[in-house]
Structures are given as structure tokens and as C-alpha cells.
Amino acid sequence: MSTLLTYIAVHDGKIKRSSLEVLSRCNELAAELGWESVALVLQPDATKAIEGLKPYGPAKIYTMSHPHFHQHLTTPLLRAIGHAVKEIQPRVVAFASTEGSKDLLGALSAAHGSAALPDMSEFSIDTEGVSGKRPVMAAKILSSVRADGSPVFVSVRSGSYNPEEREGEAAVQELSFSFNDADLRTTLREIVTATSDKIDLSEAETVIAAGRGVKDEEGRALIRELADVLQAGVGASRALTEAGIYDPSLQIGQTGKVVSPQLYIGVGISGAIQHVAGMSNSKVIVAINKDPDAPIFEIADYGIVGDLYKVLPPFIDEIRRIKSA
Amino acid sequence: MIHFYVCLKQVPDVYAPLQIKDGELIQDSGRMVLNAYDASALEEALVLTEKHGGKVTAVLAGPEKAKETLRKGLAMGADEGVHIVTEEGSAYDSLYYAGLLAAFFRDKEYHFISCGKQSQDTDAGLTGSMLAQLLELPYATNAVGLTLEDNRLLVKRQGDHGQEMIELPSPGLVTCSNDMNEPRIPSLKGIMQSKKKPVETIQASSLTGDGIRSVTTLLGYEEKPKREPGQKFEGDPEELAITIAGLLDSKENLM
């Protein structure tokens, strides 16, 4: 039987929602084709992820445990995934599109002499290969692409599919992995910054994005307050991350993170192409900007023309009132 | 003497208006530019070699008309150029270009190869790590800062949850984000000097290797599904705030 393998990303002990989205899509495709959808977890102790993964119904969970999987270390990850591919012989290896998978996809493809389809917004599988669509030209249009052969390495934009629980009892199989540190090649010296936000921006149901209009501490405090009331993740435009006002990990856009929340609220954001490329798939877009001609209003479902410093305080109060009602 | 090779790509200007006709992408302006991420990679190599001494070679794989982009790299300050000339109008994928570049680099000596982390037109971000894999080089992607330390490159890379400092030995490969620097605009003097700088021209067909093939097919282009037109509200800030919060609750059920 042919196999679809989903790589499961875990951060701080929590399975990434975007990985469950990809797994759910693979489950669905495997059911259509009469194939098997399986999952791979690489963690210091990968067995810890099993219980969280089971409800999402992979036929089998492969675990590989090694202390190096605590961090993103390129060489051990390439070796481990290469080893898993050899053992499992999947037709497709699917990843959530993250900085972590972006780092690996090209090398995996070249190592196997097979195709990679990165950052897909939708994909299908048939007996010959993989086809689907991906945004190009700063996400202004879609290209249709296809890759035949096996294995095809696919990465999928977050929010493209819904994570869905399903019946079934997954079998668990441990794959052995050993690594000689002399083979590390690169050295991770330190983690320079780490975002302290409890809500992962790329997975948040609600995202507040701050732009150039957020000028000072007072503006930042308002963004924080709004995010707290809505239990939202906070992101920022490139202008604000480059100016050091927000952490670079929080940049939304072509260069940074892609978000596709249920609700996106852009505050003081003009809507430059490079930012829109990272948020245009949000379900409901609210924009607050004092410039009535800001391009963000062209894609906003609700555009508020006004000074964020005057709009946000009553907006926060009203949301708080609605929430407590 | 540190030697950088920087890989450049010519891309259509993503900011110019474009349309789709019969599945083909049409840009009226036809404006082609140096990929912004590659420009950042070149800028950083120039800064490091200006500081520590060394040489920067710009390498571009693309059709004849892409030579102007290689010239721009020389005008910015690269010491020499290599143009790997590909067939006009052919749709090659990342693995093809990585294979071509790997065949070129196979017998070369260098400290580091630097590339943009992705190209602005496709955003695929594959070629850099493919090339590293084909050349069996250690690599780091998505660099937002580079420092040279005893012929080793300290790469500050943007990860999913923070920044990591990675030590990359030589020879190695790094891919660069445009968050690293503001690439210089070529000066008039730079443009004049670029005309005298050596450019080696190599026909792609003369490079051979197992990896030089495309493994994906581009089937066509289409418009993104249009968003329903929204509403713009103007007026008293407090009233607006209450109205919109109410709509998000009652109409969108998002509260």
C-alpha cells in the first residue's frame, strides 16, 4: 500500500496546529485513494506527542527520539527525515510551511533527486504524483503546479485546511536514530531572542497587526490591551520590526510569517504588497487607518477611517462589554 | 582573503501591474529587476569584504537578456561576474538551477556561497539549500545578520520562534533575508567601472551533471478568488468603534 507521511512539528511540547491541518488533508486524500496516512514526530522524547496526535487519526505514528531534536539543527533533521523516508518509503512527505521546514525542503528534494512543492495553498494527490496551487508574484496570483515521482516533498501554508479529529487507533512505531556529533557541520551557538508571547502568531484565531501608525509606547500598550481582550496573537509590519519596535519573529508578510486567522485587525497598517502577501487569506479583515486612501481598505471587510489612538480605547471598551454580557 | 560567490537571479518586478491571459502571466511593463533578496546577499558580501579584505564574484544563471542584472551586481561592487546563459523563455524549476550552479561550482574554490533566501516572483526558497545539498556543503538559511570570524561565518538566522546564532564553517552556503540590510544603489562611478569588470560567459548546455533537470511542471496561472467588497466607515471615532465591535459580534459572530 502507498503511504503519505506528515511531519509533525512540535514546539514547547505542543503539536503545531498547522501540522494537524496538513495531517488532516493527508488523511482525507489517503481515504480517497485507499492509501495510508502516517505521521512522523522528531523530539527529544517523541513518545510524549503520541496522545496529542492520536485523535487526529493517522494510521501509524512513527517516533524518533534524540536530544538534538530539542532545537532546530539542520543536519540531524535532514539525516532523521532521510532515514524515515528510507524506512517508510512514502509517496509524499508533507510539512506545514514554517521557517523550520523552509530550511529543509530544498535539501531533502536534492538529496532524493525528487520534487519539492513549497508553500502550497491547496494540493491533491493521484497515483502519479502531486498537483496543486501556490501563491506567486507577492501572493497576487496563483500558479498551478504538478510534480510526478516519489517521494514528493510538499509544504502547506497554515490555514489552508482544518484540523479534524477522526476515529481509529493509531499504531506506534519507534524508529531508531543515532547521530555522531562530529557530523554536526554547523554549530548552534545561542538562541538570540525568543518571543515571550503565549499565543503563536501563525496559529492564532485572531491576529492584531501593528503598523507604522503605532508610533509610541502608548500605541503599543493599546495593541497589547486589544490583543488581551480578544486573546489574539500580535504581529507587526516590516517597518516596525525593522525599527526594532516589535520582535522580528512577529513580522507578517512575504518575508516573515503567513497568517490566516478568523479575524485580522490591522492597526495603523497601510497595506503594502509585501505585508498583504502574508495576511490576505484572513477570513475577516478589519483595518484602522487615518488615511482614507490606504491600500489596506481595498481588501478590508470593515475599514475604519480614523486615528487609532482615538478609535482603539472605545473599541476595546466595547469588546470588553460584549464579552462580559 | 575571503572569497564570496553570490548567486543572482533576474526576476519580473512584482510591484508592476500584471494580468493573466489564457493561463499565461503578462506584464505590460516587462520590467525585470535584481531579486531583492539576492541584492541583500550581495550587499552583505560587499560589506564583509570591504571590512576584512577579499573578493566577491557574482554568478547569474539566466537568459542572454539577464546580463543587465549581472551588470547591476558589478555596478554595486562585485569584482567579477559569471553568466551561465540559459535558453530564452524556458520554464526551469529550482532543482534545474541548483543542478546547473552545482555543476559550475564543482571544481571551484571559495569560502562561501551566498544566495537570497527566495526569489520575489515565486517565493519558493528552494535553490539555496538544494545547491548546498548537491555540493555537500554545510548551510544556514534565512540569515538576518552575518559576521566574519576567523574565516567562519556567524549567521544570525530568523527561526520560527526567535533568532539563532549559527557558526558556519568554510566552505559553506548561506541564504539571506532582505531584513539584513539596505542594498546600495549603484553610483555613477560604480556603473562606469562595471563596464570594465571581467565577465565570464558559460553556456548552460556546456555544464553537465546528474542533477540538471526540472522535476516540477508549471501548468498555468490564475487569479486569486476575489474577496467580497468590504465597507468603509468614517465619522466619530467612538461611534465607529462601537458600530464595528457590534458588527463583529452580531454579524460575524467573532466575539
Side-chain angles (χ1 to χ4, degrees), chain A residues 17-311:
Chain A
R17 179 192 151 100
S18 48
S19 293
L20 296 175
E21 292 168 5
V22 179
L23 174 62
S24 297
R25 176 61 177 159
C26 283
N27 287 341
E28 186 184 7
L29 291 166
E32 282 170 20
L33 290 156
W35 292 2
E36 196 169 59
S37 169
V38 304
L40 171 68
V41 189
L42 309 182
Q43 278 292 289
D45 179 1
T47 56
K48 284 185 180 167
I50 292 170
E51 287 315 308
L53 204 46
K54 273 189 173 169
Y56 294 90
K60 206 170 197 178
I61 300 168
Y62 290 93
T63 61
M64 222 187 257
S65 300
H66 193 281
H68 280 333
F69 300 147
H70 179 56
Q71 308 284 7
H72 180 90
L73 295 172
T74 306
T75 311
L77 287 169
L78 288 175
R79 289 268 177 90
I81 296 167
H83 176 57
V85 167
K86 206 170 148 201
E87 289 289 318
I88 303 166
Q89 297 281 323
R91 299 285 291 259
V92 174
V93 187
F95 297 80
S97 184
T98 60
E99 289 305 342
S101 64
K102 281 177 189 174
D103 184 54
L104 306 172
L105 212 64
L108 287 169
S109 154
H112 290 84
S114 62
L117 298 175
D119 231 17
M120 304 288 279
S121 53
E122 59 176 87
F123 72 105
S124 297
I125 298 172
D126 54 50
T127 52
E128 305 300 319
V130 181
S131 58
K133 288 172 190 168
R134 56 188 307 277
V136 292
M137 300 301 285
K140 285 192 285 190
I141 59 173
L142 295 173
S143 72
S144 286
V145 288
R146 174 162 187 95
D148 293 330
S150 152
V152 178
F153 296 88
V154 178
S155 75
V156 186
R157 290 188 144 212
S158 70
S160 300
Y161 297 99
N162 288 320
E164 273 162 34
E165 301 198 3
R166 57 160 53 204
E167 303 272 310
E169 184 65 14
V172 177
Q173 185 177 338
E174 190 183 340
L175 297 175
S176 64
F177 182 68
S178 61
F179 189 84
N180 184 344
D181 281 1
D183 295 342
L184 263 178
R185 306 204 295 175
T186 58
T187 314
L188 176 61
R189 279 215 192 156
E190 57 174 318
I191 304 285
V192 186
T193 54
T195 51
S196 52
D197 276 10
K198 281 181 215 78
I199 296 166
D200 186 342
L201 179 59
S202 54
E203 320 210 324
E205 297 271 318
T206 304
V207 167
I208 315 296
R212 219 185 279 269
V214 179
K215 288 193 278 280
D216 50 19
E217 209 37 61
E218 187 195 344
R220 286 189 51 163
L222 287 169
I223 296 285
R224 186 70 263 162
E225 206 183 337
L226 178 60
D228 286 343
V229 182
L230 287 168
Q231 291 180 305
V234 173
S237 71
R238 187 160 172 230
L240 291 200
T241 54
E242 283 212 316
I245 295 169
Y246 280 91
D247 187 280
S249 314
L250 301 181
Q251 185 184 144
I252 295 173
Q254 193 178 16
T255 306
K257 285 197 161 76
V258 172
V259 298
S260 46
Q262 296 295 310
L263 172 62
Y264 163 99
I265 304 179
V267 182
I269 285 215
S270 65
I273 286 173
Q274 109 87 25
H275 178 75
V276 170
M279 50 63 72
S280 58
N281 282 342
S282 304
K283 190 150 174 290
V284 173
I285 297 174
V286 176
I288 304 170
N289 199 306
K290 62 181 176 191
D291 173 9
D293 298 322
I296 190 88
F297 288 129
E298 287 165 29
I299 57 161
D301 300 289
Y302 300 95
I304 307 177
V305 182
D307 181 346
L308 70 95
Y309 291 89
K310 294 195 178 114
V311 174

Side-chain angles (χ1 to χ4, degrees), chain B residues 162-226:
Chain B
Q163 294 182 339
E164 300 148 7
M165 191 66 89
I166 292 168
E167 193 181 300
L168 182 70
S170 153
L173 183 146
V174 63
T175 79
C176 300
S177 168
N178 57 343
D179 287 339
M180 187 151 56
N181 52 41
E182 209 53 63
R184 66 194 69 184
I185 311 278
S187 64
L188 190 59
K189 191 175 158 212
I191 294 168
M192 296 307 285
Q193 281 175 345
S194 74
K195 293 176 179 154
K196 296 192 202 104
K197 288 178 176 171
V199 174
E200 185 189 356
T201 303
I202 301 169
Q203 295 303 318
S205 53
S206 72
L207 292 169
T208 53
D210 297 337
I212 312 181
R213 63 200 168 92
S214 291
V215 289
T216 60
T217 315
L218 176 65
L219 302 172
Y221 296 97
E222 61 189 81
E223 301 284 353
K224 279 176 76 171
K226 283 261 174 291

